[in-house]
mmCIF file of all heavy atoms in Angstrom:
data_model
loop_
_atom_site.group_PDB
_atom_site.id
_atom_site.type_symbol
_atom_site.label_atom_id
_atom_site.label_comp_id
_atom_site.label_asym_id
_atom_site.label_seq_id
_atom_site.Cartn_x
_atom_site.Cartn_y
_atom_site.Cartn_z
ATOM 1 N N HIS A 202 -23.183 139.510 119.072
ATOM 2 C CA HIS A 202 -23.937 138.420 119.705
ATOM 3 C C HIS A 202 -22.994 137.356 120.264
ATOM 4 O O HIS A 202 -23.310 136.174 120.287
ATOM 5 C CB HIS A 202 -24.897 137.800 118.694
ATOM 6 C CG HIS A 202 -25.942 138.753 118.184
ATOM 7 N ND1 HIS A 202 -25.755 139.537 117.068
ATOM 8 C CD2 HIS A 202 -27.159 139.084 118.679
ATOM 9 C CE1 HIS A 202 -26.829 140.285 116.879
ATOM 10 N NE2 HIS A 202 -27.692 140.041 117.837
ATOM 11 N N TYR A 203 -21.827 137.809 120.750
ATOM 12 C CA TYR A 203 -20.826 136.851 121.218
ATOM 13 C C TYR A 203 -21.330 136.005 122.379
ATOM 14 O O TYR A 203 -20.948 134.846 122.535
ATOM 15 C CB TYR A 203 -19.522 137.567 121.597
ATOM 16 C CG TYR A 203 -19.575 138.353 122.891
ATOM 17 C CD1 TYR A 203 -19.260 137.763 124.107
ATOM 18 C CD2 TYR A 203 -19.962 139.693 122.897
ATOM 19 C CE1 TYR A 203 -19.320 138.483 125.292
ATOM 20 C CE2 TYR A 203 -20.021 140.412 124.081
ATOM 21 C CZ TYR A 203 -19.702 139.810 125.267
ATOM 22 O OH TYR A 203 -19.767 140.529 126.433
ATOM 23 N N ARG A 204 -22.203 136.546 123.206
ATOM 24 C CA ARG A 204 -22.667 135.780 124.365
ATOM 25 C C ARG A 204 -23.435 134.525 123.931
ATOM 26 O O ARG A 204 -23.384 133.495 124.612
ATOM 27 C CB ARG A 204 -23.557 136.643 125.253
ATOM 28 C CG ARG A 204 -22.773 137.615 126.118
ATOM 29 C CD ARG A 204 -23.533 138.013 127.372
ATOM 30 N NE ARG A 204 -22.712 138.821 128.252
ATOM 31 C CZ ARG A 204 -21.835 138.339 129.108
ATOM 32 N NH1 ARG A 204 -21.640 137.033 129.175
ATOM 33 N NH2 ARG A 204 -21.129 139.147 129.880
ATOM 34 N N GLU A 205 -24.167 134.617 122.830
ATOM 35 C CA GLU A 205 -24.924 133.476 122.342
ATOM 36 C C GLU A 205 -24.076 132.567 121.451
ATOM 37 O O GLU A 205 -24.338 131.362 121.361
ATOM 38 C CB GLU A 205 -26.143 133.951 121.540
ATOM 39 C CG GLU A 205 -27.168 134.753 122.329
ATOM 40 C CD GLU A 205 -26.791 136.215 122.491
ATOM 41 O OE1 GLU A 205 -25.952 136.710 121.689
ATOM 42 O OE2 GLU A 205 -27.317 136.872 123.410
ATOM 43 N N LEU A 206 -23.072 133.120 120.770
ATOM 44 C CA LEU A 206 -22.367 132.390 119.723
ATOM 45 C C LEU A 206 -20.979 131.884 120.124
ATOM 46 O O LEU A 206 -20.534 130.852 119.605
ATOM 47 C CB LEU A 206 -22.230 133.274 118.480
ATOM 48 C CG LEU A 206 -23.534 133.753 117.837
ATOM 49 C CD1 LEU A 206 -23.230 134.682 116.672
ATOM 50 C CD2 LEU A 206 -24.373 132.574 117.378
ATOM 51 N N ALA A 207 -20.292 132.577 120.985
ATOM 52 C CA ALA A 207 -18.898 132.221 121.295
ATOM 53 C C ALA A 207 -18.826 131.079 122.288
ATOM 54 O O ALA A 207 -19.601 131.026 123.248
ATOM 55 C CB ALA A 207 -18.156 133.431 121.846
ATOM 56 N N PRO A 208 -17.899 130.149 122.096
ATOM 57 C CA PRO A 208 -17.726 129.078 123.083
ATOM 58 C C PRO A 208 -17.200 129.632 124.402
ATOM 59 O O PRO A 208 -16.341 130.514 124.411
ATOM 60 C CB PRO A 208 -16.682 128.167 122.422
ATOM 61 C CG PRO A 208 -15.921 129.061 121.495
ATOM 62 C CD PRO A 208 -16.934 130.055 120.992
ATOM 63 N N CYS A 209 -17.756 129.162 125.484
ATOM 64 C CA CYS A 209 -17.290 129.502 126.837
ATOM 65 C C CYS A 209 -17.418 130.993 127.155
ATOM 66 O O CYS A 209 -16.685 131.516 128.004
ATOM 67 C CB CYS A 209 -15.833 129.063 127.026
ATOM 68 S SG CYS A 209 -15.503 127.362 126.565
ATOM 69 N N ALA A 210 -18.350 131.672 126.503
ATOM 70 C CA ALA A 210 -18.497 133.114 126.715
ATOM 71 C C ALA A 210 -18.855 133.440 128.162
ATOM 72 O O ALA A 210 -18.397 134.442 128.714
ATOM 73 C CB ALA A 210 -19.552 133.680 125.768
ATOM 74 N N GLY A 211 -19.681 132.606 128.777
ATOM 75 C CA GLY A 211 -20.070 132.867 130.157
ATOM 76 C C GLY A 211 -18.907 132.795 131.126
ATOM 77 O O GLY A 211 -18.861 133.543 132.101
ATOM 78 N N GLU A 212 -17.958 131.899 130.871
ATOM 79 C CA GLU A 212 -16.779 131.803 131.716
ATOM 80 C C GLU A 212 -15.790 132.921 131.415
ATOM 81 O O GLU A 212 -15.185 133.501 132.316
ATOM 82 C CB GLU A 212 -16.091 130.448 131.492
ATOM 83 C CG GLU A 212 -16.872 129.257 132.034
ATOM 84 C CD GLU A 212 -16.179 127.953 131.723
ATOM 85 O OE1 GLU A 212 -16.241 127.519 130.552
ATOM 86 O OE2 GLU A 212 -15.587 127.353 132.640
ATOM 87 N N ALA A 213 -15.613 133.226 130.132
ATOM 88 C CA ALA A 213 -14.618 134.226 129.732
ATOM 89 C C ALA A 213 -15.050 135.635 130.074
ATOM 90 O O ALA A 213 -14.230 136.472 130.469
ATOM 91 C CB ALA A 213 -14.349 134.118 128.229
ATOM 92 N N VAL A 214 -16.352 135.906 129.934
ATOM 93 C CA VAL A 214 -16.869 137.267 130.141
ATOM 94 C C VAL A 214 -18.054 137.196 131.101
ATOM 95 O O VAL A 214 -19.209 137.345 130.697
ATOM 96 C CB VAL A 214 -17.298 137.907 128.799
ATOM 97 C CG1 VAL A 214 -17.607 139.395 128.986
ATOM 98 C CG2 VAL A 214 -16.226 137.727 127.733
ATOM 99 N N PRO A 215 -17.797 136.956 132.382
ATOM 100 C CA PRO A 215 -18.903 136.869 133.333
ATOM 101 C C PRO A 215 -19.641 138.187 133.502
ATOM 102 O O PRO A 215 -20.843 138.223 133.716
ATOM 103 C CB PRO A 215 -18.219 136.429 134.633
ATOM 104 C CG PRO A 215 -16.798 136.892 134.485
ATOM 105 C CD PRO A 215 -16.493 136.753 133.029
ATOM 106 N N THR A 216 -18.905 139.291 133.421
ATOM 107 C CA THR A 216 -19.474 140.635 133.369
ATOM 108 C C THR A 216 -18.753 141.368 132.253
ATOM 109 O O THR A 216 -17.584 141.109 131.973
ATOM 110 C CB THR A 216 -19.297 141.390 134.699
ATOM 111 O OG1 THR A 216 -17.899 141.440 135.029
ATOM 112 C CG2 THR A 216 -20.054 140.698 135.817
#
Side-chain angles (χ1 to χ4, degrees):
H202 297 90
Y203 74 89
R204 282 205 174 277
E205 297 81 20
L206 300 177
C209 309
E212 290 177 285
V214 190
T216 57

